[in-house]
Amino acid sequence: MTAANKRIALNDDTGFIKIIAIITMIIDHLGAAVFPGQTWMRIVGRISFPLFAYCIAVGSIYTKNAGKYALRIFILAIISQPIYCIALNHMNANMYAVSFTPFTISAALNWFWYSLRVMNILFTLCIGILLIWSIRDEKFIFTGALVLLVWLLRNNLSYGYRGIALMLLFYAFIDRPVTSFVWIAGYMLWWGITQGGSYSFMNVRFSSQTFAVMALPFIYIKTSTGIKGSKWLFYLLYPVHLVLLYAVDYFINR
């Protein structure tokens, strides 16, 4: 189905949704890096990814050029990756296998390459944009190549193949609210339960990812806040918040 045939029957107040996504992401990252004992912060943080995933589905309908849309996200992902690894302590020994003196350029490239063992969320969103575009425009060879890429990177991408699938589900049913809610809610619950975890209800164990269902009201209840905001403001907030996160962690815990 082409973008022209799609209409957004869910909440199209994406300015408001992005703000909620950013706030909950910051809370999540504060819980991960600065206040690891505050479990509630990681639970609140589960709201953020579904909101970003939904905004990608909406953006893929509105955009006139999916390639430029994906490229913007990809460039920001590259820029943000070192900050992401340092701020959230996603370091590994291989990143320092090459000495920075005298091999500065080689060491920097090595450091960056091995930092990709844990990719920031923007890489996941970028692949989601490209997959939706390839399906929308029936570029199925490209779709197959991207599916293979997702499978190869499934242990490196933030939220893995499950996160990619969530974006595709949002796009597939974005014009059918009831069908969308059934599929998305069911998928999110399945995701949380199949991961196991430290939570339990009626003898069913589940992970904190299950709390992502708290994002659904923001997507399925229509709002009209009128919030717009520059797209570049939303983009730049990602690396900027990581820098601020590192600064807060440095002054509080070091």
Side-chain angles (χ1 to χ4, degrees):
M1 180 175 286
T2 65
N5 299 127
K6 284 278 189 182
R7 65 180 184 86
I8 299 168
L10 311 183
N11 190 9
D12 60 357
D13 192 3
T14 52
F16 170 66
I17 291 174
K18 285 176 184 176
I19 287 176
I20 300 300
I22 289 167
I23 292 172
T24 52
M25 176 185 68
I26 292 172
I27 292 172
D28 182 42
H29 288 170
L30 281 170
V34 185
F35 307 109
Q38 300 297 317
T39 308
W40 69 269
M41 300 180 85
R42 304 309 309 279
I43 290 174
V44 170
R46 298 311 95 212
I47 295 173
S48 117
F49 179 74
L51 299 183
F52 282 125
Y54 173 69
C55 287
I56 289 296
V58 173
S60 295
I61 292 174
Y62 282 144
T63 187
K64 295 178 181 178
N65 190 319
K68 286 185 178 179
Y69 185 25
L71 182 61
R72 287 196 298 267
I73 302 293
F74 180 74
I75 291 172
L76 195 59
I78 294 292
I79 294 170
S80 301
Q81 181 65 17
I83 314 169
Y84 171 76
C85 286
I86 293 170
L88 294 176
N89 197 29
H90 290 308
M91 317 292 267
N92 60 75
N94 287 322
M95 293 165 69
Y96 299 95
V98 178
S99 173
F100 276 85
T101 52
F103 309 109
T104 307
I105 296 177
S106 298
L109 291 173
N110 178 81
W111 192 98
F112 186 86
W113 174 255
Y114 283 104
S115 80
L116 295 174
R117 286 188 173 182
V118 183
M119 296 179 171
N120 68 71
I121 190 177
L122 298 178
F123 287 106
T124 305
L125 300 181
C126 179
I127 293 175
I129 294 167
L130 293 174
L131 260 173
I132 291 172
W133 162 77
S134 69
I135 293 169
R136 184 192 73 186
D137 290 5
E138 300 181 350
K139 309 291 185 182
F140 296 128
I141 294 177
F142 199 58
T143 303
L146 286 168
V147 168
L148 177 60
L149 178 65
V150 170
W151 180 251
L152 293 174
L153 297 178
R154 64 191 182 279
N155 296 323
N156 307 97
L157 288 171
S158 290
Y159 298 97
Y161 69 88
R162 292 181 176 90
I164 298 289
L166 183 61
M167 284 182 270
L168 295 178
L169 284 173
F170 274 129
Y171 176 76
F173 302 118
I174 204 165
D175 54 350
R176 288 173 279 174
V178 175
T179 303
S180 175
F181 181 82
V182 171
W183 272 93
I184 297 295
Y187 179 77
M188 288 171 127
L189 291 173
W190 169 84
W191 184 350
I193 291 170
T194 54
Q195 281 192 327
S198 56
Y199 300 92
S200 177
F201 179 72
M202 296 181 66
N203 295 322
V204 176
R205 301 192 69 80
F206 57 92
S207 71
S208 62
Q209 188 59 39
T210 311
F211 294 104
V213 296
M214 294 188 296
L216 297 183
F218 298 105
I219 295 169
Y220 291 95
I221 298 175
K222 285 185 173 286
T223 56
S224 55
T225 62
I227 296 172
K228 297 296 181 183
S230 166
K231 61 186 176 185
W232 285 107
L233 175 62
F234 287 120
Y235 291 156
L236 294 175
L237 273 173
Y238 187 77
V240 168
H241 102 275
L242 290 172
V243 172
L244 294 175
L245 180 71
Y246 178 77
V248 171
D249 183 36
Y250 183 85
F251 286 110
I252 291 180
N253 294 327
R254 305 185 188 188

